[in-house]
Amino acid sequence: MRDAQPCTIFLSDYRVPEFLIDSTTLKFELGETNSIVRSVLELRRNPESDSQDAPLQLHGTELELVSLSIDGRELAPSEWSQSGEQLSIAKVPAAFSLSCETRLRPQDNTSLEGLYKSSGMFCTQCEAEGFRKITYYLDRPDVMSVFTVEIVADQSRYPVLLSNGNLVATEILADGFHKTVWQDPFPKPAYLFALVAGKLSVVEDQFITSSGRGVDLKIYVEEKDLDKCDHAMLSLKNAMRWDEEVYGREYDLDIFNIVAVDDFNMGAMENKSLNIFNTSCVLAKPETTTDAGFQRVEGVVAHEYFHNWSGNRVTCRDWFQLSLKEGFTVFRDAEFSSDMGSPTVKRVEDVTLLRTAQFAEDAGPMAHPIRPDSFIEISNFYTVTVYEKGAEVVRMIHTLLGPELFRKGSDLYFERHDGQAVTCEDFVLAMEDASGIDLRQFRNWYSQAGTPRLEVSGSYDKRAQTYTLAVKQSCPPTPGQTEKAPFHIPLAVALIGDAGQLPLQLADAEINTESADNTELVLSVSQPEQQFVFNNIKEEPVPSLLRGFSAPVKLDFDYSRDQLLRLMRSDSDGFCRWDASQQLGLAEIKRAISALAAGQNVSPDAEYINACRELLADTSLDAAMVALMLQLPSEAYLAEIIHPVDVQGIHQAREALRKVLAQALKGELSACYSRCESDEAYAANAEQIARRSLKNTALAYLMLLEEEQFIALAIQQFESSANMTDRLAALTYIVNSESEYKAKALQRFYQQWQHEPLVINQWFQVQAMCRLAGTLETVQGLMSHPAFDIRNPNKVRALIGAFCGQNGVNFHREDGAGYRFLADQVLVLNRSNPQIASRLLVPLTKWRKYLPAAQQLMRAELQRVLAEPELSSDVYEVVSKSLQDYS
Ligand code: B3K
Ligand code: ZN
């Protein structure tokens, strides 16, 4: 629980560590009532520190200290003192051995940080600052040490005992106990330490690295899940090969372990050679897992594997540099997924997340640069900004340098900093040094928060045959940053003429650009206002802007409807094509809002309907793209565009528009559905995923018509599909309809899958996301369902998280009951699992966006949370910052 004065930590206060730890030996005795940890640390003063007589200050929290000795002599209580999370020993030699014994109760650890128990097994989570819940230590990422770990436990309860690195000894002990010893030759910070002990089954495979070394790959799961590991194993091998081919990075140990656990605060953790995964990010089989689930497993397995270089071999100096490893690794996993599947679809999905969640964060009270300047609780900074915007920043470097120079830069970065704990600055410097490209101004992306806005206008001079793009950039104020310096923004453009893209020739050859071919250019926007003049333009073109979403900005260009239709029909850039469809959809939704407000019917533009009709009929197009283009901008995206946000008004207008579209396109949707049906065996490949996505998009529209024939179609799909993608889609549409079959469908689904927790989470989620009235009461009822468990983060996310974060129309009920429900749950979780509590709170923190009545109700709930006397630092930071006036 919170200290009296939660303190803010500043990047500017960074100092090198006063001590270094050359080696760390840990001995664990795992028991049912207590677990004992004995550590021996070989410490010495850091020659680089400027205070050579400072006391030794170790981190430690929620620990029972049994004994402490230096060079074999036990310290008297007067020789050390404790305050908050610090244990200080005033007098220590220049180099010494510190032994420490602590007693823990992992079975009572509900925070899922440090050493805890999940479904009867012991496991750990140490990033960012969980190691200090295991023993007293210099728990900071710039202190790297080699670890030897001995684990002793009851052999029948815990036959598998794992830690990082190589297994160097095993021993059978008396009284049914056994012991294993693990040694990790690579120095690492404590946040990468891991331990697992439990009854686990294993799936094994092998990977031969490019230099011919064999690596044993093992995925440890509960026995019942052995049939759900193939996809993760294949993804791992694909990721290992990809990292060799694309980044020249080879795996460095003879063993790579993955363990799946049920209770986990996030997706997975990249502990050196012992990755620990949330079961939801490793287990997959067609009968239980949706296409999205399969893709998530592939992405997360790759992400954690890629961390072995971008994060482990080269780690972060301090937690302000988190994006150094996370932004870079997200960029790497996105490129991997793109290479494994459909690049445009992956890009559109990533941009959608960025434009909804990240842009909202950047416009809200918790806005921070990808390298924050300060924090109260680092756990609150594992954000879409640090991860996804961080990845966009790396992507922009890739765009500015081009693939070859970027690779030279990453090679130099890994070579220069292997075995070190470094900063974002070191990364940018390596990119600059390897490429010779000046990134001075580009660095503003690391230090400034907020989403830049680009206002672009175009003018054609027929006589001079020039086309001019005038670009104006600005960035709104964010907490603590009122004025922003201009950013260096790569703006990818093409000019589209009647017969396709025009050759581009800039009037000012001095302007720094990268050219993909001569019909696409990356303009370097760097000034508040700038003009780019193209010569020899023989007809008035339609500009295609921000191609591939070349920068994380909001772009305004006053396109006419016809220009957007042209881009939607024929732009060669998949992202821009999709984006044009979204801009057209947005315009239709805005018209629908006005129509409903004026008591009129919603009647979309005939040309827009025709364009959708063409899409449905065009079998030459990628089915996944058709599905994405047919989906109207989400309510979450609309809440970023339309201010103040009238949740009910937006929802009604969007739904009314969808219904009119469904009616107008009924024949085409029906035909499309039939065309996409197939009885081939399930595979999680791009082609099949695309087909299922289009089929279910068509069904979703048809269900809005509430016609018997389509309800029957959904019921049939629900009952007869062999894969979870189609079953769950059908269940979702049935649950959101007035069909009488609804209760039966839910009951049958539960009956069939009650022994599969991950499937039951989906069952909770479908109900929590139901758009119909009364969903809050359903959710409240489900909180006491025997399958619900508030200690399990996946269940909390599936029920409470999905309701509050993804069901706007019900969460924002006008009586404020949704807000009250969330605040109540946050207060409960604040005690058991502060990280999950503060994450859950996010939807309330956006209160300033909504209509005045909603604002008042949301704020009142935040104030009620803030008034709680024992608030964790996690919740305190989010709630207090969200109430602060920063305008
Ligand atoms: N590095 C971990 C995240 C740890 C979060 C700690 N609160 C997973 C990942 O990004 O790969
Ligand atoms: Zn990561």
Side-chain angles (χ1 to χ4, degrees):
M1 289 301 123
R2 164 154 82 90
D3 306 334
Q5 272 302 308
C7 66
T8 301
I9 301 167
F10 294 91
L11 167 59
S12 55
D13 286 341
Y14 175 82
R15 299 288 175 273
V16 299
E18 283 148 358
F19 291 85
L20 301 173
I21 307 178
D22 292 325
S23 75
T24 300
T25 307
L26 301 171
K27 295 186 179 180
F28 286 85
E29 255 177 52
L30 303 174
E32 298 314 297
T33 46
N34 286 312
S35 291
I36 305 288
V37 185
R38 295 189 184 89
S39 69
V40 180
L41 315 180
E42 297 304 330
L43 285 140
R44 66 184 157 90
R45 288 198 183 270
N46 180 2
E48 281 171 31
S49 166
D50 45 19
S51 58
Q52 291 294 322
D53 53 0
L56 172 67
Q57 292 196 309
L58 299 170
H59 302 109
T61 184
E62 295 165 37
L63 293 169
E64 186 187 334
L65 179 59
V66 180
S67 72
L68 201 55
S69 22
I70 285 186
D71 293 329
R73 183 184 69 83
E74 184 156 352
L75 300 188
S78 60
E79 291 178 274
W80 51 269
S81 65
Q82 233 174 335
S83 151
E85 295 201 348
Q86 300 273 6
L87 181 141
S88 296
I89 307 176
K91 289 206 177 64
V92 293
F96 57 100
S97 163
L98 180 86
S99 305
C100 175
E101 184 174 328
T102 50
R103 195 177 293 135
L104 317 176
R105 293 179 54 80
Q107 65 278 17
D108 298 336
N109 179 355
T110 57
S111 70
L112 313 187
E113 200 190 28
L115 179 66
Y116 65 94
K117 284 193 96 171
S118 171
S119 308
M121 88 172 95
F122 286 94
C123 61
T124 55
Q125 171 54 38
C126 294
E127 186 178 359
E129 297 178 338
F131 193 78
R132 61 188 65 184
K133 290 184 164 184
I134 294 175
T135 187
Y136 290 95
Y137 203 75
L138 292 172
D139 188 9
R140 45 186 288 172
D142 56 353
V143 172
M144 299 167 85
S145 179
V146 287
F147 280 65
T148 303
V149 180
E150 182 181 301
I151 312 166
V152 172
D154 180 305
Q155 186 163 22
S156 60
R157 286 178 201 259
Y158 312 104
V160 174
L161 305 176
L162 306 171
S163 191
N164 316 89
N166 302 313
L167 178 65
V168 292
T170 57
E171 200 182 326
I172 305 292
L173 307 173
D175 303 326
F177 281 76
H178 69 148
K179 171 166 107 178
T180 63
V181 184
W182 294 82
Q183 224 161 40
D184 183 357
F186 291 95
K188 64 170 177 288
Y191 85 84
L192 290 172
F193 162 80
L195 172 152
V196 169
K199 211 173 261 171
L200 291 158
S201 301
V202 64
V203 172
E204 300 189 50
D205 207 330
Q206 235 220 353
F207 180 82
I208 309 293
T209 69
S210 53
S211 69
R213 278 187 314 102
V215 182
D216 290 333
L217 310 177
K218 301 186 189 199
I219 301 181
Y220 289 90
V221 295
E222 284 182 46
E223 193 179 359
K224 68 174 177 58
D225 293 324
L226 277 173
D227 61 343
K228 304 188 192 84
C229 299
D230 293 353
H231 186 63
M233 189 62 93
L234 178 65
S235 303
L236 175 60
K237 290 188 287 184
N238 287 340
M240 294 177 87
R241 188 64 70 215
W242 188 91
D243 213 16
E244 291 181 343
E245 285 169 0
V246 181
Y247 280 84
R249 299 291 116 199
E250 201 177 311
Y251 187 62
D252 50 14
L253 281 159
D254 302 333
I255 182 165
F256 187 84
N257 288 327
I258 286 179
V259 180
V261 303
D262 278 333
D263 305 294
F264 208 63
N265 279 347
M266 62 275 167
M269 177 64 211
E270 70 266 23
N271 317 300
K272 183 82 188 183
S273 76
L274 178 52
N275 284 192
I276 299 184
F277 272 64
N278 188 320
T279 42
S280 70
C281 293
V282 64
L283 305 179
K285 68 171 183 178
E287 299 77 29
T288 57
T289 314
T290 61
D291 291 338
F294 271 87
Q295 287 174 318
R296 177 142 173 85
V297 167
E298 178 182 74
V300 178
V301 167
H303 179 98
E304 305 311 328
Y305 173 73
F306 295 153
H307 268 315
N308 188 53
W309 275 97
S310 49
N312 300 2
R313 288 287 287 256
V314 182
T315 194
C316 301
R317 185 193 74 174
D318 54 73
W319 292 120
F320 297 100
Q321 318 296 331
L322 184 57
S323 201
L324 172 76
K325 74 178 178 79
E326 296 305 347
F328 187 21
T329 306
V330 172
F331 172 69
R332 276 149 60 65
D333 84 55
E335 291 292 284
F336 167 76
S337 294
S338 171
D339 285 351
M340 295 294 123
S342 160
T344 307
V345 174
K346 172 67 179 153
R347 191 69 190 128
V348 166
E349 286 167 358
D350 289 351
V351 172
T352 301
L353 174 66
L354 202 81
R355 276 181 172 175
T356 50
Q358 199 282 323
F359 282 13
E361 186 164 86
D362 242 351
M366 284 292 287
H368 52 276
I370 64 164
R371 182 189 56 217
D373 302 311
S374 68
F375 57 74
I376 292 178
E377 173 53 63
I378 183 56
S379 298
N380 285 327
F381 286 79
Y382 286 76
T383 58
V384 272
T385 298
V386 165
Y387 275 63
E388 273 72 27
K389 186 176 181 181
E392 293 299 320
V393 170
V394 176
R395 177 179 296 278
M396 287 190 286
I397 297 180
H398 186 274
T399 304
L400 289 168
L401 268 58
E404 283 87 27
L405 290 179
F406 182 86
R407 170 65 195 270
K408 255 181 94 181
S410 80
D411 283 352
L412 180 61
Y413 168 72
F414 288 126
E415 188 195 322
R416 225 182 231 180
H417 299 297
D418 189 8
Q420 297 177 3
V422 301
T423 62
C424 297
E425 174 57 25
D426 293 315
F427 181 80
V428 179
L429 207 58
M431 289 292 163
E432 239 173 2
D433 288 350
S435 67
I437 290 176
D438 181 351
L439 296 171
R440 249 172 305 176
Q441 190 187 354
F442 186 83
R443 284 168 170 78
N444 290 341
W445 286 105
Y446 285 88
S447 56
Q448 297 188 146
T451 307
R453 183 161 162 210
L454 284 186
E455 286 166 87
V456 184
S457 59
S459 57
Y460 181 58
D461 183 336
K462 196 170 174 193
R463 214 167 41 87
Q465 305 229 314
T466 58
Y467 185 75
T468 305
L469 281 176
V471 184
K472 215 162 129 181
Q473 66 160 301
S474 59
C475 183
T478 46
Q481 292 185 336
T482 41
E483 298 296 323
K484 310 284 166 109
F487 290 87
H488 177 183
I489 301 169
L491 176 63
V493 301
L495 298 180
I496 301 182
D498 279 341
Q501 282 168 226
L502 306 176
L504 299 181
Q505 192 190 325
L506 274 174
D508 183 356
E510 291 294 290
I511 292 176
N512 175 20
T513 56
E514 265 296 310
S515 167
D517 56 44
N518 74 338
T519 64
E520 179 173 329
L521 278 184
V522 179
L523 305 174
S524 267
V525 175
S526 57
Q527 287 151 35
E529 292 190 33
Q530 224 166 330
Q531 288 208 338
F532 300 91
V533 182
F534 298 91
N535 282 340
N536 291 324
I537 302 294
K538 306 215 178 325
E539 58 184 305
E540 177 158 12
V542 179
S544 163
L545 301 168
L546 203 68
R547 288 164 74 81
F549 198 67
S550 60
V553 299
K554 291 183 182 171
L555 185 134
D556 291 327
F557 184 92
D558 193 15
Y559 284 113
S560 68
R561 183 203 63 175
D562 289 346
Q563 287 179 319
L564 287 173
L565 284 167
R566 184 145 155 215
L567 292 174
M568 174 174 167
R569 286 189 172 117
S570 62
D571 197 332
S572 66
D573 184 81
F575 163 76
C576 284
R577 225 175 143 170
W578 167 80
D579 198 36
S581 77
Q582 299 300 289
Q583 291 187 53
L584 285 163
L586 174 65
E588 293 302 336
I589 292 170
K590 284 183 173 169
R591 285 188 343 118
I593 293 174
S594 310
L596 290 183
Q600 291 160 2
N601 286 337
V602 170
S603 62
D605 184 288
E607 272 305 304
Y608 175 65
I609 299 182
N610 278 338
C612 294
R613 182 170 289 124
E614 279 171 36
L615 274 179
L616 277 164
D618 189 343
T619 47
S620 68
L621 273 172
D622 174 7
M625 277 303 288
V626 175
L628 286 169
M629 287 201 275
L630 285 174
Q631 282 158 29
L632 291 172
S634 68
E635 288 172 25
Y637 179 62
L638 296 167
E640 276 313 290
I641 306 275
I642 303 171
H643 288 129
V645 184
D646 169 6
V647 180
Q648 313 297 333
I650 289 175
H651 175 73
Q652 275 151 22
R654 187 175 178 277
E655 287 306 291
L657 179 60
R658 287 179 72 215
K659 209 161 173 168
V660 177
L661 285 174
Q663 194 64 54
L665 300 169
K666 187 164 132 181
E668 289 82 358
L669 287 163
S670 228
C672 175
Y673 181 91
S674 312
R675 212 170 50 231
C676 292
E677 271 198 303
S678 152
D679 49 17
E680 70 200 311
Y682 179 94
N685 60 35
E687 195 218 325
Q688 279 199 20
I689 291 174
R691 212 171 332 108
R692 282 189 286 274
S693 145
L694 181 54
K695 177 173 103 170
N696 288 318
T697 302
L699 183 59
Y701 270 114
L702 291 169
M703 281 294 281
L704 296 174
L705 301 174
E706 300 274 346
E707 284 181 22
E708 265 318 308
Q709 53 167 329
F710 300 127
I711 295 172
L713 195 63
I715 294 175
Q716 195 221 335
Q717 177 170 321
F718 172 72
E719 288 184 343
S720 62
S721 304
N723 69 75
M724 186 51 81
T725 308
D726 287 341
R727 286 202 100 193
L728 199 70
L731 181 65
T732 303
Y733 309 144
I734 293 165
V735 165
N736 279 278
S737 76
E738 301 294 346
S739 163
E740 281 163 16
Y741 182 73
K742 193 186 312 192
K744 192 164 165 208
L746 283 167
Q747 193 196 359
R748 286 187 56 171
F749 191 91
Y750 183 78
Q751 286 292 327
Q752 185 176 0
W753 298 112
Q754 55 185 311
H755 303 298
E756 293 284 358
L758 295 175
V759 181
I760 295 307
N761 294 347
Q762 307 189 63
W763 181 79
F764 279 128
Q765 190 171 348
V766 164
Q767 296 178 78
M769 286 175 61
C770 173
R771 302 294 152 143
L772 304 180
T775 299
L776 175 59
E777 287 72 13
T778 308
V779 169
Q780 283 168 323
L782 286 169
M783 300 271 301
S784 29
H785 190 281
F788 184 75
D789 179 358
I790 201 160
R791 287 166 307 180
N792 177 273
N794 289 351
K795 299 256 180 291
V796 171
R797 280 186 281 258
L799 193 57
I800 311 172
F803 176 78
C804 301
Q806 294 170 67
N807 191 348
V809 70
N810 277 299
F811 174 63
H812 291 277
R813 252 167 70 150
E814 279 162 3
D815 63 359
Y819 310 146
R820 204 154 48 241
F821 168 70
L822 175 54
D824 286 343
Q825 302 314 318
V826 166
L827 287 172
V828 171
L829 284 156
N830 169 60
R831 290 172 184 277
S832 56
N833 190 331
Q835 283 183 21
I836 297 295
S838 83
R839 249 163 217 249
L840 220 50
L841 193 52
V842 169
L844 274 180
T845 66
K846 311 276 161 65
W847 60 276
R848 284 185 177 85
K849 299 206 291 213
Y850 297 94
L851 293 173
Q855 281 197 18
Q856 223 175 19
L857 292 165
M858 294 172 88
R859 203 164 94 177
E861 292 305 325
L862 287 167
Q863 281 161 339
R864 182 158 73 89
V865 173
L866 189 62
E868 159 77 26
E870 286 193 79
L871 223 45
S872 59
S873 56
D874 307 63
V875 174
Y876 173 77
E877 177 169 37
V878 173
V879 76
S880 62
K881 286 185 176 171
S882 70
L883 284 166
Q884 247 162 43
D885 196 0
Y886 61 89
S887 52

